[in-house]
Amino acid sequence: MRDLAESVESMEQLATVWRAMVLDRDPDADVRDLPGIAVRWADCRFAFWNCVTLTDVGADAGLLKERLDEAAGIMRSKSRAGFLWVFEDLLDDGARAALGAAAEQAGLQYAFPGTGMAGDLLPVPDPVHPELTFVRVDDDDLLRAYADINARAYGFPLEDGRDGLAGSSWWKSGVFAYLGLRDGVPVTCAATVEADGRLFVVLVATDPAWERRGYGEAVTRKALYEGARATGLTRATLHATAAGAPVYPRIGFRPNSPMRFYALGD
């Protein structure tokens, strides 16, 4: 029997943080907790703010099929594209084996992998990188730069990234969002936000022109350091992309559930 505590924590952190992020983007956003499904959908151009996730623990293949069909229906009802997040460890063995085929039958297309991670790792030392200076995002120009780095890193149009963050007062005050500047130019970014007694790491990205220099790790450490210093929290969680997954264990995170992201098929 797998210990699912950290995998459940990872799913619950997504539901908590994305609720706040989506409502910050649009106070009238769709944030429903349905049986086995959490809807966190701003219906904006920034696809990461359009999210559905499965919340059952131990779902079998039959229940999985039911949830996937319902999730796909919710996604089809929206005007903007988004993702279904599936935490694989929350499925039983039969459902995990059936996931790919069941998703395809529901009209969903596999997009990319992820990994839930967590750790009792704080405080971390105040980071130093010889090529970077760090600045907290506290005005609209810096927030736009943060959005643009994410758009470039994830292959979105710049306007899509800006549609997710522009105009937010919370990101300039309640979120511990930091840019790493090289010669005064923003090249990397990371943020932490308090969520149910933890710091959640969100929207870590590096401009593709400046990858593989340790910038992402350095700015993530900065966001963790400042978040922990402000809140006193010692536990942190995140959802890593394939690019970030090798980096976070160096900071002290441990992987828990593998994740799959699905979009609607053509």
Side-chain angles (χ1 to χ4, degrees), residues 73-211:
I74 292 168
M75 295 167 74
R76 289 190 192 97
S77 74
K78 307 301 184 182
S79 62
R80 298 288 186 181
F83 297 107
L84 167 68
W85 302 40
V86 180
F87 294 83
E88 293 183 51
D89 276 1
L90 301 188
L91 307 175
D92 75 7
D93 290 342
R96 275 183 94 163
L99 175 57
E104 184 176 351
Q105 289 171 5
L108 296 163
Q109 180 177 339
Y110 177 70
F112 53 90
T115 306
M117 293 190 179
D120 296 298
L121 52 94
L122 301 171
V124 297
D126 191 4
V128 175
H129 192 289
E131 299 171 6
L132 298 178
T133 56
F134 300 109
V135 59
R136 185 170 182 179
V137 172
D138 61 4
D139 66 31
D140 288 335
D141 289 341
L142 295 175
L143 186 57
R144 187 181 305 110
Y146 197 109
D148 288 355
I149 292 170
N150 270 271
R152 293 188 186 101
Y154 293 109
F156 298 153
L158 293 185
E159 287 305 318
D160 288 11
R162 293 174 184 179
D163 192 42
L165 297 180
S168 171
S169 59
W170 185 45
W171 268 81
K172 293 178 287 187
S173 58
V175 178
F176 305 99
Y178 283 84
L179 293 167
L181 279 59
R182 179 187 168 108
D183 299 327
V185 177
V187 295
T188 191
C189 62
T192 56
V193 61
E194 186 173 357
D196 289 342
R198 301 156 181 83
L199 282 177
F200 185 85
V201 180
V202 61
L203 295 189
V204 178
T206 298
D207 189 303
W210 297 103
E211 292 177 336

